[in-house]
Amino acid sequence: MDNTVFRSLEVIEENIREKLTVETISEAMHFSKYHFQRMFKEAAGDSVMRYVTRRRLTLAAADLIETDDGILEIALRYGYDSHEGFIRSFKAYTGVTPKEYRKYYSYIGTPTTKAEKEKSAMLYSKSTDEMICELNGLIVEARETAAFIRKNKDNDSQASACYLDFWEYIANQTDKMAETLTEALKPIAETANCPDKVTAVIKTDEITARFIIIKNIDKAVFQLNTIDFQTELTISRAKPEHRNKLNNIGSRLTALSHKASITYAKMTVFLGGLSKMIFEDMKNTARESIDRAVQKGREAATALSHTPASYSYIKEGVEEIVNELDFLPIENVSADFFNSIIDRLNIIDFSAEMDILRNPSDKHLLKGIGEFKEQLMQTADFFDALTEEIINSFDSGKKAFISRSERKKYGDTALKEKILLFYLKGEAQKLDKLMTNEQKAAFNKIFEDMNIAVRLANYSKYSGSDSLLNVEKEIAKYMEKVYSQLTAIKTDLGDYGSAVGFLAEEVKKHGIFLGSWEGVKNY
């Protein structure tokens, strides 16, 4: 998703209880109202104010369940002027009135009635079906694009001879991306086919599958953007008389890349809307899993209380582990922690087995240790299946979630700049014999400026939020300098400078995405 849209989502979240308009949000993003609305709709799949309304109603629904606040109080909290207006909007959004929702449809808490379970199952089935539909559409289009490339790769007999292997490679890479998405889709599709797994308390495999899907779409978008970029660069190097026919395939790849970006944006916005519910539910499920292990450990320790004194060291070892688990803050939990606990329990279990060999009649007294270990291993598997983002969310909450988003944003920025630098160096080498010493020196200055931009982006990954805007402006300044220098070189080289011109435009796009490019308000 466009960085500007990401930032606007954060602005909306931070001011969700304040008066928000398209004008105030677009002004905060330094865009015209018209351009911002168009960009937001394209990325998020919804209008700005419709998205704001949905977020407010989602938060209001959570407050209805999590608090005892009056309906009017909640309505006023989220910008509604009257009780009646809130009820109309809420019913249009959920299908029930706020009072009915509070009474019957708590999809954040654990369902207790059949009606609640059916409602929760419907909500999760619908969201899962939407994700499957979006991804299947992307997979189908990717395969159709690969077939289109193979069908049209030799339309121009004069140009095709040089590009046959290239187009086959691009088609294979596109097919490979489609296969990656197909494999990533399987876990969530399997969950959708098992109704007993779709409940208000989201099952571990479904939540993990959703995060894996998002990560795989992110990877697919990156792959497609790389394919599209390399294709456009290759076309820009072609002879002018061949470019139009080659552009036919290039445009198809660009459209696919764009669709993948939109799909990723929709998934991310959807997941963001569910993040609080998902994280809270995972936290509760994690705690319950630990509590089950603690219970098994206590049962084992109780059984050992009736054993001869020679087993007291085993009892003490089990109790020590149980106490550590019982008082363990959920934010300190990790799969590694449980693996170390299991290693300790394995030693205790091994000692118990040795004692049983000497006293077989005591076997029934020590069997609880094995049951304790089995439950611990299940709990360890649970945490091992979770992504780092989910585990971190137990402690860090929304603020750190946004912080991780910022780190990813600037990590992606640095990566984009490294990729551009790589291609710029490659183009400079290809043009070496055609360039003057002045042009070569200009390229060297470009490399220096790009390296500085990379360092600034890497620095921003770990800086405080107060410094981020200034760093963005600094990076954009270097991008503008590079763009100006590349444009001059492209003009000097004439037809040989087409690829340089293409790279210059990519540098400009990158600067605009940062939101700090001079003249961006008019873009």
Side-chain angles (χ1 to χ4, degrees):
M1 185 187 292
D2 191 310
N3 288 332
T4 301
V5 177
F6 266 128
R7 290 201 303 275
S8 70
L9 294 179
E10 292 175 12
V11 168
I12 290 170
E13 289 300 311
E14 291 166 1
N15 299 278
I16 198 68
R17 296 187 182 185
E18 308 298 327
K19 183 177 180 180
L20 288 171
T21 64
V22 177
E23 289 81 1
T24 57
I25 300 171
S26 60
E27 184 177 354
M29 295 297 102
H30 307 295
F31 276 83
S32 69
K33 174 183 173 182
Y34 169 77
H35 180 64
F36 176 70
Q37 286 187 105
R38 183 169 59 83
M39 182 169 55
F40 189 98
K41 179 72 177 290
E42 185 177 284
D46 215 341
S47 68
V48 179
M49 293 314 297
R50 184 176 172 83
Y51 174 82
V52 170
T53 299
R54 286 195 297 108
R55 286 297 298 139
R56 283 174 169 164
L57 290 171
T58 299
L59 294 170
D63 285 358
L64 285 167
I65 302 305
E66 296 175 350
T67 73
D68 295 324
D69 297 342
I71 292 174
L72 179 58
E73 183 180 353
I74 294 173
L76 295 173
R77 181 179 301 153
Y78 292 106
Y80 287 87
D81 296 328
S82 69
H83 185 271
E84 293 75 16
F86 175 64
I87 291 175
R88 280 196 303 272
S89 292
F90 193 90
K91 187 170 183 178
Y93 182 60
T94 65
V96 294
T97 66
K99 184 176 180 180
E100 291 170 333
Y101 187 90
R102 172 171 268 170
K103 184 176 181 181
Y104 299 113
Y105 301 127
S106 170
Y107 68 88
I108 290 178
T110 303
T112 56
T113 69
K114 182 179 179 181
E116 290 174 13
K117 291 179 180 179
E118 289 175 351
K119 177 69 174 181
S120 298
M122 181 188 72
L123 288 169
Y124 288 110
S125 294
K126 181 181 178 182
S127 64
T128 301
D129 288 346
E130 288 173 354
M131 293 178 77
I132 292 172
C133 183
E134 284 282 348
L135 288 175
N136 275 331
L138 182 58
I139 291 167
V140 168
E141 187 156 340
R143 287 175 174 157
E144 289 178 349
T145 299
F148 178 85
I149 293 170
R150 293 189 176 98
K151 181 179 178 180
N152 293 275
K153 65 183 180 181
D154 56 357
N155 277 354
D156 185 343
S157 58
Q158 289 183 315
S160 61
C162 302
Y163 295 102
L164 285 177
D165 290 342
F166 171 76
W167 288 127
E168 187 60 31
Y169 174 79
I170 293 297
N172 288 339
Q173 290 298 306
T174 305
D175 272 335
K176 185 177 179 181
M177 185 280 300
E179 191 59 37
T180 298
L181 282 179
T182 301
E183 288 300 313
L185 185 59
K186 286 181 180 178
I188 200 163
E190 289 169 359
T191 300
N193 292 329
C194 299
D196 60 315
K197 290 186 178 182
V198 185
T199 64
V201 179
I202 308 175
K203 298 298 183 182
T204 307
D205 53 356
E206 183 179 0
I207 296 172
T208 305
R210 289 181 185 221
F211 275 89
I212 291 172
I213 286 289
I214 293 297
K215 287 192 172 185
N216 276 283
I217 297 174
D218 190 19
K219 180 181 178 181
V221 170
F222 178 80
Q223 289 174 334
L224 276 174
N225 285 339
T226 302
I227 292 170
D228 183 39
F229 183 91
Q230 183 64 66
T231 300
E232 292 293 328
L233 181 60
T234 300
I235 291 173
S236 71
R237 290 172 179 155
K239 293 180 180 180
E241 60 268 26
H242 295 153
R243 283 180 201 152
N244 286 339
K245 293 184 178 180
L246 295 175
N247 276 331
N248 190 32
I249 298 177
S251 298
R252 185 68 180 257
L253 278 168
T254 299
L256 176 62
S257 177
H258 181 70
K259 180 178 177 64
S261 297
I262 296 299
T263 299
Y264 177 66
K266 288 180 179 179
M267 297 288 183
T268 304
V269 171
F270 170 75
L271 187 63
L274 290 179
S275 61
K276 179 181 178 182
M277 180 175 61
I278 290 174
F279 292 152
E280 279 301 311
D281 193 72
M282 287 301 296
K283 184 175 180 178
N284 293 336
T285 305
R287 185 71 257 176
E288 289 170 4
S289 183
I290 294 172
D291 289 345
R292 285 194 294 272
V294 167
Q295 182 60 34
K296 286 292 183 183
R298 284 183 178 144
E299 291 172 2
T302 299
L304 288 166
S305 298
H306 307 295
T307 59
S310 58
Y311 294 144
S312 62
Y313 77 103
I314 294 177
K315 175 177 177 291
E316 289 173 6
V318 171
E319 287 179 334
E320 184 178 328
I321 291 175
V322 168
N323 289 333
E324 284 185 39
L325 290 171
D326 199 21
F327 296 101
L328 178 69
I330 194 70
E331 59 268 18
N332 293 343
V333 175
S334 68
D336 288 340
F337 169 82
F338 276 104
N339 288 330
S340 68
I341 288 286
I342 290 170
D343 287 341
R344 288 164 56 191
L345 192 58
N346 278 333
I347 294 172
I348 295 172
D349 190 33
F350 184 78
S351 297
E353 290 289 341
M354 293 300 98
D355 286 342
I356 288 171
L357 289 176
R358 288 191 290 270
N359 301 288
S361 60
D362 292 337
K363 184 175 182 178
H364 67 287
L365 298 173
L366 301 174
K367 71 173 184 177
I369 297 174
E371 294 175 356
F372 180 30
K373 184 171 70 172
E374 183 179 347
Q375 183 60 53
L376 273 177
M377 291 175 70
Q378 290 178 15
T379 304
D381 288 342
F382 174 89
F383 280 94
D384 195 43
L386 300 184
T387 65
E388 182 182 354
E389 286 174 308
I390 297 177
I391 294 174
N392 288 342
S393 73
F394 292 166
D395 178 44
S396 54
K398 176 186 169 186
K399 184 175 180 181
F401 182 80
I402 292 174
S403 175
R404 287 194 299 278
S405 297
E406 288 287 355
R407 288 199 298 273
K408 185 180 186 305
K409 167 185 170 181
Y410 286 102
D412 289 348
T413 296
L415 177 61
K416 175 73 172 179
E417 288 157 6
K418 288 177 182 177
I419 292 171
L420 285 170
L421 179 57
F422 169 79
Y423 281 112
L424 285 167
K425 287 182 175 179
E427 201 59 31
Q429 289 182 13
K430 289 177 173 63
L431 296 170
D432 184 70
K433 294 181 180 180
L434 298 172
M435 291 194 297
T436 64
N437 288 334
E438 289 78 10
Q439 289 167 339
K440 292 177 183 178
F443 258 116
N444 287 331
K445 183 65 173 69
I446 287 170
F447 301 155
E448 290 177 12
D449 289 342
M450 289 296 295
N451 274 316
I452 292 172
V454 170
R455 288 197 294 272
L456 284 170
N458 280 327
Y459 163 78
S460 299
K461 288 168 64 177
Y462 306 104
S463 300
S465 58
D466 292 341
S467 66
L468 294 181
L469 184 58
N470 290 332
V471 174
E472 281 184 359
K473 290 179 179 178
E474 282 299 308
I475 294 174
K477 285 180 182 177
Y478 281 102
M479 293 299 101
E480 289 186 66
K481 286 171 62 179
V482 169
Y483 173 75
S484 177
Q485 292 166 327
L486 287 173
T487 302
I489 294 174
K490 180 250 183 186
T491 301
D492 289 344
L493 291 173
D495 286 342
Y496 292 108
S498 296
V500 175
F502 168 75
L503 290 170
E505 291 304 313
E506 290 298 311
V507 167
K508 181 178 180 179
K509 287 179 187 177
H510 179 56
I512 290 171
F513 283 161
L514 288 173
S516 301
W517 187 276
E518 186 176 333
V520 71
K521 292 182 182 179
N522 299 319
Y523 177 70

